[in-house]
Amino acid sequence: QQGWKDSRDPIFHASGRDAEPPIALVEVQGYVYAAKRGMAVLSARLGHESLAARLETEAADLADRVERAFWWEEEGTYAIALDGAKRPCQIVASNAGHLLYCGLPRPERAARVGARLLSPESFSGWGVRTLADREVRYNPMSYHNGSVWPHDNAIVGAGLKRYGQSGHLETLATALFEASLFFEDFRLPELFCGFHRVPGFGPTRYPVSCSPQAWAAAAPLELLRSLLGLEIDALGRSVSLDAPNLPPWLDWVEVIGLRVGPGRVDLRFRRGRQGASLEVLDKSGDVGLVVRR
């Protein structure tokens, strides 16, 4: 498979039949969309206005084609892929959450995707499963067909934040935090099994999961960034915070040595009734701060 789910069997049709190649994965369309928009911004800053305009047009055209080809109205999500004959593989999977991360879906569709990802068939109680439990190949002990991957969840969480679905993000971050309490050194592994959460028991371990693992190690940091709504504009030398919030299990957090172009800043956040408060502990260089509530 030419995607992060690189095992033999994660891309298939609802009947369980393998998808015939070449396969167009839904999340890859999102990555291309985000790349074109990012390059458009860089091109504009470098003075290449015509190139920037062309890239923005290409990104918008791609988004329109994805909405038409992948959207699955009956289920309120996106098909995981198109097969070689351009037939949609209509299974409910975590891949659609990557589109939220890339900012491709229309807002009304993004709301439906977020709700679907946090539905009982997709959300185990410890995280979003790679595959919904109703699908024919679902197996909570599989590598990519029902397991929970922390890095996949962190990407989904960032997408939820992007579309203002902070409640879903907090649910997801809390689930992964609570899962971490059952692993050595509170370290999230590469993946764990996707069994439904049972009171009094922790998540079921995947026997050969890597730990430590780079993707999983980055997941808590990305979830924290999403909770704080933290974005850095290095060229503009500014830090923006979009509706920063901390969940009930995290009273405060400090971000030390945050580099912003040639400058740096140290920040402390404290949980409050209406989002997290911000205190600047130290700052060097010309660094601007913008907080949006």
Side-chain angles (χ1 to χ4, degrees):
Q1 309 295 347
Q2 295 182 344
W4 85 264
K5 294 180 179 178
D6 57 354
S7 53
R8 185 195 62 80
D9 61 347
I11 313 300
F12 58 95
H13 289 280
S15 65
R17 175 173 55 88
D18 280 340
E20 294 296 325
I23 293 168
L25 293 166
V26 68
E27 70 270 27
V28 174
Q29 316 311 309
Y31 304 156
V32 174
Y33 171 83
K36 286 181 179 293
R37 295 207 67 196
M39 287 301 294
V41 171
L42 291 175
S43 297
R45 292 203 175 192
L46 292 171
H48 305 306
E49 298 295 343
S50 60
L51 176 58
R54 177 169 64 81
L55 288 167
E56 284 286 4
T57 298
E58 290 176 359
D61 177 64
L62 175 59
D64 182 64
R65 287 186 284 127
V66 170
E67 293 283 25
R68 286 187 279 110
F70 287 83
W71 178 247
W72 188 4
E73 176 63 27
E74 293 78 11
E75 297 294 338
T77 189
Y78 293 87
I80 193 174
L82 303 181
D83 68 10
K86 304 302 182 185
R87 292 182 295 254
C89 299
Q90 292 184 324
I91 60 173
V92 178
S94 63
N95 302 57
H98 290 225
L99 280 191
L100 304 185
Y101 173 78
C102 296
L104 186 148
R106 303 169 189 168
E108 66 275 11
R109 289 183 173 179
R112 295 183 66 187
V113 172
R116 196 55 188 273
L117 290 167
L118 271 294
S119 68
E121 64 185 22
S122 293
F123 183 67
S124 73
W126 297 114
V128 174
R129 300 184 181 94
T130 45
L131 185 68
D133 66 3
R134 67 165 209 190
E135 302 297 346
V136 65
R137 287 191 184 178
Y138 170 73
N139 178 354
M141 296 182 68
S142 74
Y143 197 56
H144 289 136
N145 285 330
S147 53
V148 174
W149 287 65
H151 93 278
D152 189 33
N153 277 257
I155 291 171
V156 170
L160 294 170
K161 177 68 174 188
R162 182 169 196 154
Y163 283 92
Q165 301 177 43
S166 297
H168 287 335
L169 168 61
E170 186 173 309
T171 297
L172 194 59
T174 298
L176 286 168
F177 166 73
E178 292 174 348
S180 74
L181 302 179
F182 291 89
F183 296 100
E184 290 84 358
D185 299 321
F186 312 112
R187 174 187 287 153
L188 288 170
E190 177 188 17
L191 74 155
F192 50 88
C193 295
F195 291 104
H196 289 275
R197 184 169 181 170
V198 176
F201 295 87
T204 302
R205 301 180 181 221
Y206 188 83
V208 293
S209 178
C210 294
S211 185
Q213 199 248 13
W215 278 359
L221 300 179
E222 177 64 359
L223 286 167
L224 177 62
R225 188 198 66 79
S226 297
L227 287 165
L228 298 177
L230 190 153
E231 299 284 350
I232 298 173
D233 180 356
L235 292 176
R237 300 185 183 183
S238 67
V239 176
S240 63
L241 299 149
D242 183 14
N245 191 34
L246 294 175
W249 44 269
L250 186 58
D251 290 335
W252 62 272
V253 65
E254 291 182 355
V255 180
I256 304 298
L258 187 64
R259 301 292 303 188
V260 186
R264 57 163 282 168
V265 64
D266 298 342
L267 305 173
R268 177 185 291 142
F269 299 88
R270 292 189 183 277
R271 182 167 56 86
R273 290 185 177 182
Q274 297 181 334
S277 63
L278 169 65
E279 179 184 357
V280 178
L281 301 177
D282 191 21
K283 186 174 73 166
S284 63
D286 182 19
V287 180
L289 288 169
V290 179
V291 181
R292 294 185 292 271
R293 295 293 181 180

